[in-house]
Amino acid sequence: MNKKINDKIIQNHNLTKKEYKLIKKILGRLPNLLELGIFSVMWSEHCSYKSTKKWLKTLPTKGNKVICGPGENAGIIDIGNNDAIVFKMESHNHPSFIEPYQGAATGVGGIMRDVFTMGARPIANLNSLRFGDPKNSKTKNLLRGVVKGIGDYGNCVGIPTVGGECFFHESYNNNILVNAMCVGLVKKDKIFYSTAKGVGNPVIYVGSKTGRDGIHGATMASAEFTNDSITNRPQVQVGDPFMEKLLLESCLELMKHDAIIAIQDMGAAGLTSSSFEMASKGNCGVKLFLEKVPCREENMTPYEMMLSETQERMLLIIKPNKKKLTFKIFKKWGLDAVEIGKLTNTSIMELYMNKKLVGTLPIKPLAASSPEYNRPSKKKNKKIKKIIPKRVDKDNLKKTLIQILSSPNHSSKKWIFRQYDSSVMGDTILSSEKSDAAIIRIHGTNKAVAITCDCNPIYCKSNPKIGAEIAVAESWRNLIASGATPVAITDNLNFGNPEKKEIMYEIKEAIKGIKNACEKLSYPVVSGNVSLYNETNNSSIMPTPVIGGVGLIKKIENAKSFKMKENANIFLVGKTNGHLELSLFYQMHKLEEGTPPKVDFIKENKNGEFVKNLISKTNGVIGCHDLSEGGIGLSLAELCISNNLGVKIKIPKEFISKPEKWIFGEDQSRYILIIKESFDIKKYVDKEVYIEKIGVVDGTSLEFINCFEIPVKNLIKLNNKWFNEYLK
């Protein structure tokens, strides 16, 4: 512990010389190795958000349904009748690349603990996955490992995995993204927070015994990869879903007895972050007696105990008169629960080992006053090529749609979904296979929540601000198309190295885009996560700000899917201009140049409100699908595949000479509505909303009249083909 601190040790802890100088100033002396390690993890990018804090503070976080915004383990929204939804999304990117099964599994476990720490029972999991080029030698094993890790962990704990997205691109060859989202249900008067209070109150450790796994995991997640990073396996945590289940049930039981003052998951930075953050929020001090920490390995040092990221552990502040009850409940569930410390009024963290003081640290500077950087930013000097497309014939249009449906990113994800139990708990109405958003019934009621996660990194790479706006708008449309009223979002901002001006520019612009979209749509941010340094050997991922949206369906009968019926009418809501730059159509022709379509938020609001009211106030809507990537062509193909029914579609006169713009254009603010044959939609049309009938549900083919047609059985076969062949 008395090891002399030198430049190499400082560098190995991912601290700058300037930061080390600040540490000495805060302490008024030189730190020892334990204290340096604690500063290192608490000031890591992963824990402190030091590169993004300045910009994250600009996001809108308040709303009439927001109970708790950013700053706690998860965000909370009010859904009426004393019910509240707790939700958050987090990343486990670096660990999942090094050890895909355990990295993904522990990512799921960690986000579920963030939710049940607030007093909520998890009711659904989602994930957003990004892998490299399928031809890359690592991709197949990474895909198998990640999906199995997610499935096994969620299935074992008994929480349904109901939706997500999976995207392949060469920019993720050496930095895959594994973003996990969890949604939980709690009564408004049974919410728990992490603010420690009460001098002398006991600090209780419960869960798995502490090991050496995950030490410096938070620091690793705040640094670029190199070719040697695969050697960081010891920094990847190992998950135990059965322990997670015991921890979940025991904590929820204890919460019923008014015993808990504060509770915090031991996630990134383990015992360090949980103890410092709880004490900081309550403006109190802590004494920890580290020899009492349950350890599964021999001769663990205070440094290892404080920085270990062993999974399935919680830290609680308990009312003294409920201590006996607390230990009784945890014993009932077969869990190790130990009093390892007590609260003080000193605002100091005092660390003891066998009665010897081994570390003394002021709490606020580490937990709440970490460095805040305004890093320089610079737009990439990249000329956007003006694309002059070649004339497209009808056969080419048909081939392009077939190519899209057969591509890794748009082929059926049944192989993934079949590994997830989506129906456990019995409240899953629809998974995201069958609707634009997954829909979960609020148990014992007639209401439901809709949940989704979205991002188009191709758009974000070209213009991170517009790309982020589109990600927010798409999540909003997905919720509306499922019959929900959008309420709030969580985000997971995945980027490269913020110390590079061009990357910092992407981060700032993306946050500006999220801010603008959320403000325009009255769609606040209540939680989130930042994952930076997704970069290997100076090669960065595309900017990927994933948006997780949650909406409320007041009556389950208003929930909408991709359902169609024979002879139903097909309507298009929203004007089509035929934006093809950066579209799937161009990507299939090896073009990733241009600018994304702009979002007109006036139209977005009006069109969304029209669809929402039509669904909730009439009985005329059979099914609904928002339009995004692939435009009308891909959306109609997905509807045909989902229902095994054909459609006959008439291309408008003004697009007869350029059908590709109408079929594949990716203009925003649009929906496809499947309307009952007998329903007179004209009675409800708002003059400010563009709506047109484009066809009927009929036959056994996807037919664009006088252009091309594809039998639905062929669409299904083509759509199922890629994953089946890739994973033979």
Side-chain angles (χ1 to χ4, degrees):
M1 203 60 66
N2 296 318
K3 190 174 182 179
K4 190 175 178 183
I5 307 297
N6 56 36
D7 287 350
K8 189 175 180 181
I9 289 173
I10 295 166
Q11 189 180 353
N12 287 343
H13 282 77
N14 252 24
L15 290 162
T16 66
K17 288 181 179 179
K18 190 176 178 181
E19 287 169 343
Y20 183 63
K21 192 175 177 181
L22 180 58
I23 290 169
K24 291 191 291 185
K25 184 180 178 182
I26 289 167
L27 293 177
R29 57 177 172 81
L30 295 175
N32 62 33
L33 187 62
L34 169 62
E35 293 164 339
L36 187 78
I38 288 171
F39 267 102
S40 165
V41 293
M42 290 300 291
W43 285 9
S44 68
E45 194 72 61
H46 192 75
C47 291
S48 75
Y49 297 164
K50 57 191 177 186
S51 298
T52 54
K53 265 195 291 189
K54 177 180 171 67
W55 307 104
L56 294 173
K57 289 174 184 174
T58 66
L59 293 172
T61 59
K62 299 187 185 308
N64 60 2
K65 293 189 183 302
V66 176
I67 295 172
C68 176
E72 274 291 342
N73 288 295
I76 309 177
I77 57 172
D78 187 346
I79 60 167
N81 306 109
N82 199 34
D83 291 322
I85 291 292
V86 180
F87 66 104
K88 191 182 182 184
M89 186 186 294
E90 277 214 343
S91 61
H92 233 216
N93 302 336
H94 287 57
S96 298
F97 182 77
I98 294 168
E99 201 344 283
Y101 181 88
Q102 291 294 352
T106 51
V108 173
I111 196 64
M112 283 198 287
R113 287 194 300 280
D114 279 342
V115 166
F116 77 72
T117 296
M118 307 285 298
R121 178 172 290 279
I123 58 173
N125 290 328
L126 295 88
N127 52 75
S128 175
L129 310 176
R130 302 286 187 280
F131 297 99
D133 186 332
K135 293 175 184 174
N136 184 279
S137 59
K138 300 171 187 171
T139 299
K140 191 179 292 187
N141 285 336
L142 288 167
L143 172 66
R144 288 186 186 277
V146 165
V147 171
K148 187 167 175 53
I150 291 169
D152 283 0
Y153 203 100
N155 296 351
C156 286
V157 180
I159 308 301
T161 301
V162 297
E165 53 175 359
C166 180
F167 180 86
F168 299 86
H169 192 276
E170 63 183 6
S171 89
Y172 305 101
N173 278 352
N174 295 305
N175 288 89
I176 66 172
L177 302 184
V178 177
N179 294 177
M181 180 175 170
C182 183
V183 179
L185 178 66
V186 67
K187 292 295 179 183
K188 281 167 57 180
D189 56 355
K190 298 292 182 184
I191 296 168
F192 286 80
Y193 297 98
S194 58
T195 303
K197 295 176 188 173
V199 174
N201 283 340
V203 180
I204 307 294
Y205 171 119
V206 64
S208 295
K209 286 183 168 69
T210 296
R212 291 186 171 96
D213 50 326
I215 293 172
H216 277 298
T219 316
M220 177 189 71
S222 307
E224 286 185 40
F225 272 179
T226 65
N227 289 331
D228 298 325
S229 294
I230 201 71
T231 61
N232 288 331
R233 277 185 201 275
Q235 295 180 9
V236 178
Q237 310 92 327
V238 177
D240 182 348
F242 301 103
M243 177 64 78
E244 179 100 349
K245 178 66 173 174
L246 296 175
L247 206 55
L248 163 67
E249 298 300 341
S250 61
C251 285
L252 291 180
E253 182 177 339
L254 185 60
M255 287 167 173
K256 294 176 182 176
H257 292 275
D258 193 31
I260 300 173
I261 293 169
I263 180 169
Q264 180 88 337
D265 160 43
M266 291 192 223
L271 182 54
T272 290
S273 64
S274 55
S275 57
F276 273 88
E277 287 171 8
M278 291 170 86
S280 174
K281 289 172 184 175
N283 294 308
C284 57
V286 183
K287 281 186 180 179
L288 292 181
F289 307 102
L290 298 177
E291 72 278 1
K292 294 183 179 182
V293 172
C295 294
R296 69 167 185 261
E297 298 183 51
E298 293 181 0
N299 302 317
M300 287 191 69
T301 65
Y303 182 99
E304 292 169 329
M305 290 178 198
M306 289 300 293
L307 270 63
S308 167
E309 293 186 4
T310 295
Q311 296 290 287
E312 294 87 35
R313 301 179 299 160
M314 308 289 278
L315 202 65
L316 299 89
I317 311 300
I318 294 292
K319 293 178 180 178
N321 64 337
K322 297 291 178 83
K323 198 161 62 170
K324 189 176 177 181
L325 173 69
T326 297
F327 289 124
K328 184 181 176 182
I329 288 173
F330 286 135
K331 187 179 179 181
K332 169 191 159 183
W333 289 96
L335 295 172
D336 286 312
V338 182
E339 184 178 346
I340 64 166
K342 62 181 181 180
L343 300 185
T344 69
N345 61 359
T346 63
S347 297
I348 300 291
M349 179 68 69
E350 298 168 77
L351 302 172
Y352 292 86
M353 185 71 175
N354 297 320
K355 298 182 180 180
K356 182 183 177 183
L357 186 65
V358 293
T360 311
L361 294 155
I363 286 169
K364 280 286 185 184
L366 278 99
S369 306
S370 58
E372 183 176 313
Y373 295 129
N374 184 9
R375 297 197 187 277
S377 61
K378 180 184 174 184
K379 187 177 182 179
K380 287 180 183 175
N381 290 323
K382 185 184 174 184
K383 287 186 179 179
I384 296 173
K385 296 177 184 175
K386 186 67 181 172
I387 298 170
I388 305 172
K390 295 177 182 176
R391 187 65 234 127
V392 178
D393 59 31
K394 294 172 183 179
D395 281 345
N396 209 321
L397 291 176
K398 182 177 177 178
K399 285 176 186 173
T400 302
L401 184 55
I402 287 170
Q403 199 178 349
I404 292 171
L405 284 167
S406 311
S407 69
N409 289 334
H410 296 281
S411 61
S412 170
K413 303 300 188 296
K414 282 180 183 175
W415 178 84
I416 296 175
F417 274 104
R418 282 172 182 165
Q419 296 186 58
Y420 305 153
D421 188 339
S422 63
S423 59
V424 64
M425 298 179 75
D427 284 315
T428 304
I429 306 296
L430 290 165
S431 71
S432 61
E433 279 188 295
K434 298 292 184 181
S435 175
D436 278 317
I439 299 171
I440 309 296
R441 179 194 289 110
I442 302 303
H443 193 74
T445 75
N446 192 41
K447 60 188 177 186
V449 287
I451 45 183
T452 182
C453 49
D454 301 280
C455 181
N456 183 333
I458 302 289
Y459 288 165
C460 295
K461 181 185 177 185
S462 169
N463 188 313
K465 181 175 181 288
I466 295 176
E469 287 177 343
I470 290 171
V472 173
E474 189 182 348
S475 84
W476 193 80
R477 283 199 304 277
N478 282 340
L479 295 175
I480 286 176
S482 69
T485 298
V487 179
I489 71 164
T490 182
D491 57 38
N492 205 135
L493 310 182
N494 307 274
F495 293 88
N497 183 349
E499 296 165 49
K500 295 177 179 177
K501 293 179 182 179
E502 289 84 2
I503 301 296
M504 196 63 223
Y505 174 82
E506 291 175 349
I507 295 167
K508 284 166 61 174
E509 288 297 296
I511 293 172
K512 285 179 186 174
I514 293 170
K515 175 181 184 291
N516 186 48
C518 287
E519 286 177 345
K520 294 287 176 54
L521 297 172
S522 301
Y523 195 31
V525 184
V526 297
S527 60
N529 176 61
V530 174
S531 174
L532 307 183
Y533 296 95
N534 292 289
E535 196 160 315
T536 298
N537 298 332
N538 289 318
S539 178
S540 174
I541 64 164
M542 291 189 289
T544 313
V546 179
I547 304 298
V550 177
L552 175 64
I553 302 174
K554 289 183 178 178
K555 296 178 182 177
I556 285 175
E557 53 266 33
N558 289 335
K560 294 299 168 194
S561 66
F562 297 152
K563 189 177 179 182
M564 298 199 300
K565 284 185 179 177
E566 289 273 10
N567 302 317
N569 292 314
I570 304 170
F571 282 84
L572 173 66
V573 177
K575 185 72 176 170
T576 299
N577 295 310
H579 187 100
L580 285 177
E581 291 183 20
L582 299 179
S583 69
L584 281 180
F585 179 79
Y586 274 8
Q587 289 173 46
M588 295 300 118
H589 292 82
K590 309 300 181 188
L591 291 169
E592 278 189 23
E593 299 287 343
T595 56
K598 288 184 179 178
V599 183
D600 183 330
F601 285 102
I602 294 173
K603 287 182 181 175
E604 196 71 65
N605 268 300
K606 287 190 180 297
N607 294 354
E609 197 65 21
F610 169 74
V611 172
K612 182 158 66 77
N613 286 336
L614 199 69
I615 291 171
S616 63
K617 296 178 180 178
T618 78
N619 64 354
V621 181
I622 296 169
C624 186
H625 197 354
D626 93 301
L627 294 187
S628 52
E629 294 172 74
I632 293 168
L634 180 57
S635 289
L636 286 170
E638 289 170 343
L639 288 167
C640 290
I641 289 167
S642 185
N643 293 274
N644 197 15
L645 288 172
V647 297
K648 295 187 187 296
I649 304 297
K650 189 176 180 182
I651 298 171
K653 287 179 184 177
E654 61 269 33
F655 287 100
I656 293 290
S657 63
K658 45 192 175 183
E660 68 277 9
K661 292 174 81 73
W662 190 80
I663 295 171
F664 295 107
E666 295 184 8
D667 310 280
Q668 299 295 291
S669 317
R670 297 182 302 155
Y671 303 80
I672 293 246
L673 290 173
I674 310 301
I675 300 295
K676 289 179 181 176
E677 187 182 7
S678 59
F679 182 74
D680 186 5
I681 197 171
K682 292 176 184 176
K683 290 180 181 177
Y684 302 92
V685 173
D686 186 325
K687 64 180 180 181
E688 295 184 63
V689 173
Y690 182 88
I691 181 167
E692 64 176 324
K693 183 180 174 182
I694 60 171
V696 294
V697 180
D698 185 30
T700 57
S701 295
L702 167 59
E703 180 181 356
F704 291 94
I705 298 167
N706 298 324
C707 192
F708 70 86
E709 68 175 298
I710 309 171
V712 174
K713 64 179 183 181
N714 291 1
L715 292 176
I716 294 170
K717 187 178 177 181
L718 290 161
N719 197 228
N720 288 326
K721 186 178 178 182
W722 188 84
F723 266 94
N724 290 339
E725 291 191 352
Y726 185 64
L727 294 164
K728 278 181 182 174

